[in-house]
Amino acid sequence: MIILGIETSCDDTAISLVNEKGTVLSNVVSSQEVFHKNFGGIVPEIASRKHSELIGYAITETLKIAGKSLEDIDLISVTKGPGLVGSLIIGVETAKAISFALNKPLIGINHLEGHIYSLFLGGPKLSKIKNPFPLIILIVSGGHTELVLMENHLKYRVIGRTRDDAAGEAIDKFARFLGYGYPGGPLIEKLGINGNPEFHKFPHLTFKGSPYEFSFSGLKTAGIYFLEKNPAAVKNNLNDIAASFEKTVVDILTERTIRAAVDYKVKGIGVVGGVSANKRLRKTLTTEAPVEVFLPEKTFSTDNAAMIALAGYRHFERGEKDNLLLDVYSRLEIE
Ligand code: KG4
Ligand code: ZN
């Protein structure tokens, strides 16, 4: 089977062709970064207009790279939420049009479930293990920070999430205060590589009775307050400050994830979402976890449509499909 994946939940217009084994035939991500960077964040109306402009070209390019035509597609899988409604609509309406014109099945997918399936794409060893379940999955992106117990394919239980900001959001705001554009994560990582992570201790909160819950709003405020009050350090120790802030985020994520893995006696840990591209997080978790840690290939850490295509196939295989009434959702639970 050849599955066309369409992902437009945020600011990337992403299209991919994947087969039923999770082999990626082509993967196109048309970044809108240049259109948003002067605004310090994503402007929803610009995002939807650009999706509308770019999506046709992205599909043509994806087919060309794979050497396929529209008629070769067996299933269309599209992100239905959570995300920006104006952006999601462009992807979903395009998917419906293709499904209608080709008379091929259509399926709407939760973006976060898509991120989980980035672990099963192509090369990573997880796709080769017969029964890797149960797994603890840390979903960590610009909009979400969740710990999910994955008991089997398509079977999830959210055991913890952030009470306020997502980890990526805290990093992005911290970077923005330093004058960097969106996304801030890769820039903080780059600055922090040569820095001393012990330079400054930022607050690391834990919640009594809620061991798997996160909060990044206090850390974000403490980070920005530190930058405001210490201009000399910002000038002379920027690398150290970035490393210290990054380390705090990584330590918080690692501590909760390992605790969940031990408590739920899982066979492994998966880390997905944009922040899973972070080298310090990858290294710390891999070193400290008592079970094997599975990570997506870096290209599939950040938003892409290959993960949406594979998750769509898993649902379709179980007999599910949507019709032309498929809607979009700004908020959507994974359970
Ligand atoms: O999954 P994603 O591409 O989009 C959302 O669904 O949100 O995640 C984007 C987030 C942004 O907050 C970005 O700063 C962060 O992922 N990010 C990183 C890195 N690459 C992307 N954070 C830390 N280190 C990175 N290397
Ligand atoms: Zn995402």
Side-chain angles (χ1 to χ4, degrees):
M1 268 188 84
I2 294 184
I3 305 109
L4 173 71
I6 301 181
E7 151 63 43
T8 62
S9 66
C10 194
D11 63 326
D12 288 323
T13 315
I15 309 288
S16 185
L17 283 182
V18 167
N19 71 15
E20 78 282 1
K21 293 195 186 78
T23 305
V24 181
L25 309 179
S26 60
N27 184 53
V28 169
V29 181
S30 179
S31 168
Q32 297 185 6
E33 212 174 301
V34 289
F35 306 114
H36 298 277
K37 75 168 184 221
N38 293 336
F39 299 96
I42 293 157
V43 185
E45 187 176 333
I46 295 180
S48 43
R49 282 172 190 267
K50 289 291 165 193
H51 282 309
S52 168
E53 247 177 72
L54 294 167
I55 198 160
Y57 295 105
I59 293 172
T60 309
E61 185 70 12
T62 305
L63 291 168
K64 199 168 130 197
I65 292 168
K68 302 283 179 199
S69 67
L70 273 179
E71 287 70 31
D72 295 321
I73 294 166
D74 300 300
L75 171 69
I76 300 123
S77 178
V78 60
T79 306
K80 64 178 177 185
L84 300 169
V85 163
S87 289
L88 290 162
I89 279 177
I90 308 295
V92 165
E93 292 308 310
T94 304
K96 284 187 197 173
I98 297 174
S99 161
F100 180 69
L102 299 177
N103 194 22
K104 292 286 162 71
L106 168 75
I107 193 138
I109 289 297
N110 181 313
H111 178 78
L112 300 181
E113 184 171 34
H115 272 302
I116 291 179
Y117 273 89
S118 68
L119 290 170
F120 295 88
L121 282 170
K125 38 190 172 184
L126 191 49
S127 55
K128 299 189 175 72
I129 300 175
K130 227 178 180 165
N131 179 14
F133 305 109
L135 287 169
I136 282 291
I137 312 277
L138 171 67
I139 304 176
V140 65
S141 72
H144 298 269
T145 305
E146 292 189 4
L147 275 172
V148 176
L149 177 66
M150 186 176 186
E151 291 160 320
N152 208 329
H153 278 296
L154 311 182
K155 195 153 186 268
Y156 319 100
R157 184 141 55 99
V158 178
I159 58 163
R161 55 161 56 107
T162 182
R163 292 183 171 188
D164 39 59
D165 295 349
E169 191 179 345
I171 300 174
D172 291 336
K173 295 273 165 63
F174 185 75
R176 182 170 163 186
F177 197 85
L178 284 168
Y180 296 104
Y182 177 89
L187 297 159
I188 294 295
E189 171 169 61
K190 214 163 149 199
L191 283 173
I193 284 175
N194 300 315
N196 170 14
E198 308 299 337
F199 177 75
H200 183 74
K201 283 250 166 305
F202 288 104
H204 178 153
L205 290 182
T206 48
F207 303 110
K208 255 204 173 138
S210 306
Y212 319 121
E213 272 188 44
F214 302 92
S215 164
F216 288 100
S217 161
L219 172 64
K220 176 188 74 184
T221 310
I224 292 173
Y225 187 78
F226 179 84
L227 298 177
E228 265 176 351
K229 296 287 165 199
N230 296 280
V234 173
K235 197 161 165 234
N236 303 318
N237 299 87
L238 189 55
N239 294 12
D240 301 328
I241 295 170
S244 303
F245 190 81
E246 186 193 24
K247 179 180 185 288
T248 310
V249 174
V250 167
D251 285 349
I252 293 169
L253 295 170
T254 304
E255 185 256 325
R256 265 47 159 203
T257 308
I258 291 182
R259 183 189 287 244
V262 171
D263 290 353
Y264 284 91
K265 300 183 177 62
V266 294
K267 289 190 195 160
I269 291 172
V271 191
V272 301
V275 184
S276 75
N278 184 272
K279 289 195 193 81
R280 194 185 297 274
L281 176 63
R282 287 176 168 240
K283 186 155 178 240
T284 309
L285 251 178
T286 310
T287 314
E288 295 182 10
V291 289
E292 192 159 6
V293 176
F294 301 100
L295 296 151
E297 282 176 33
K298 278 212 174 168
T299 346
F300 302 121
S301 281
T302 44
D303 287 351
N304 65 85
M307 64 187 196
I308 303 299
L310 185 58
Y313 172 71
R314 283 280 174 186
H315 280 279
F316 180 74
E317 191 188 32
R318 221 169 53 168
E320 296 169 33
K321 61 180 176 175
D322 284 300
N323 59 32
L324 296 180
L325 292 173
L326 177 63
D327 206 353
V328 299
Y329 306 89
S330 60
R331 290 168 169 271
L332 192 62
E333 290 294 331
I334 197 172
E335 285 170 297

